[in-house]
Amino acid sequence: MAGSARRVAVVLFNLGAPDGPDAIRPFLFNLFSDPSILQWPGIIRWPLAWFIARTRMKEARKLYGDAGDDSPLLANTRDQVAVLQTCLGTDAYRVFTAMRHWYPMADEAADQVSDFNPDQVVLLPLYPQYAAATTASSVRAWMQAARAWNVTAPTVPVCCYPAGRGFVDASVALIRTAYDRASALGRPRLLLSAHAIPEATPESADPYRRQCQATAEAIVDGLGTEGLDWVTCFQGRLGPVRWAGPSTRDAVMQAGQDGVPVVIYPMSFVSEQCETLVEIETLCRRLALE
């Protein structure tokens, strides 16, 4: 490609979500068979993933049914791809999507990137905070797919951006609008909610909780509200293990006991999905009303 413009492929990572009722069970199996999520040998992990997928079907169908039988995660991610492509504004850049646990996954993206034949690949996770179960898992899946499709261009992974200026400024703008509206009911409590992580996850190997706290502090600093009442909490607990706390639902209950209105902001998500639309918008709202 002598004399031609340098070509850069940008691959956006996201978790993925079932695109209909029939996809729920295989999606759950893909999720729980990931060694970054269930850290056991495959001989144990695969049957356990099958069992969890089977037993969680009823609850998951209700969850996705409340969201209209279709998670908006992929559509939102594709919108982000389109906007980023427009912002880059040149044919020398091409933006792709690689979901981790449902289609389009890394293998499909690597096939497309191989056809593009880039000089460099940039991996951009749509996970603001680094975690082994999200960022590291997505990078590992990409590297395997890239080898299979002979994508040999130098690859630059973006680790994380827990206090990235653009991310924090956008978060502050969204929160300020809701906070001002809630202030008509009293002095609100801001719940900065992150996706849950097991309590036993070693901080030395996975900085996720520390980075969530960094995000929360950056948002609070950006809001600049004197005497702001705020709490970091976690949503999406699963199974009989101890999870980082307090849980978002417990924080909502505490706010009810304290008689204060709440504003909940899901700070570890940049794409709307069932975990935000159902757990926060439906379940936590119902709990707050009760």
Side-chain angles (χ1 to χ4, degrees), residues 20-183:
D22 292 340
I24 292 174
R25 186 166 172 176
F27 166 77
L28 291 173
F29 177 80
N30 290 345
L31 180 68
F32 290 106
S33 61
D34 184 346
S36 297
I37 293 178
L38 290 181
Q39 299 176 2
W40 287 309
I43 195 171
I44 299 173
R45 186 176 67 255
W46 292 324
L48 183 57
W50 180 88
F51 176 77
I52 294 174
R54 184 173 182 272
T55 55
R56 280 184 58 83
M57 273 293 296
K58 183 177 181 181
E59 180 183 348
R61 280 187 180 275
K62 183 180 186 307
L63 179 75
Y64 285 97
D66 289 344
D69 286 333
D70 185 13
S71 170
L73 181 68
L74 178 58
N76 286 339
T77 303
R78 283 176 167 159
D79 287 345
Q80 290 166 319
V81 166
V83 171
L84 181 56
Q85 185 72 66
T86 300
C87 290
L88 291 171
T90 170
D91 291 339
Y93 290 85
R94 188 76 58 80
V95 188
F96 303 88
T97 303
M99 296 292 177
R100 180 62 187 94
H101 297 299
W102 200 245
Y103 303 99
M105 293 192 278
D107 193 65
E108 182 175 335
D111 180 14
Q112 295 170 350
V113 170
S114 179
D115 288 342
F116 180 56
N117 192 25
D119 300 294
Q120 185 180 47
V121 178
V122 176
L123 306 178
L124 177 59
L126 296 182
Y127 319 118
Q129 304 86 12
Y130 177 94
T134 53
T135 310
S137 179
S138 291
V139 170
R140 185 177 63 252
W142 168 261
M143 293 303 186
Q144 292 172 350
R147 285 193 295 271
W149 288 97
N150 197 32
V151 178
T152 58
T155 299
V156 180
V158 176
C159 165
C160 44
Y161 40 97
R165 181 174 177 179
F167 169 55
V168 171
D169 287 350
S171 300
V172 166
L174 290 167
I175 292 168
R176 185 170 282 130
T177 298
Y179 188 89
D180 291 346
R181 189 165 67 247
S183 295

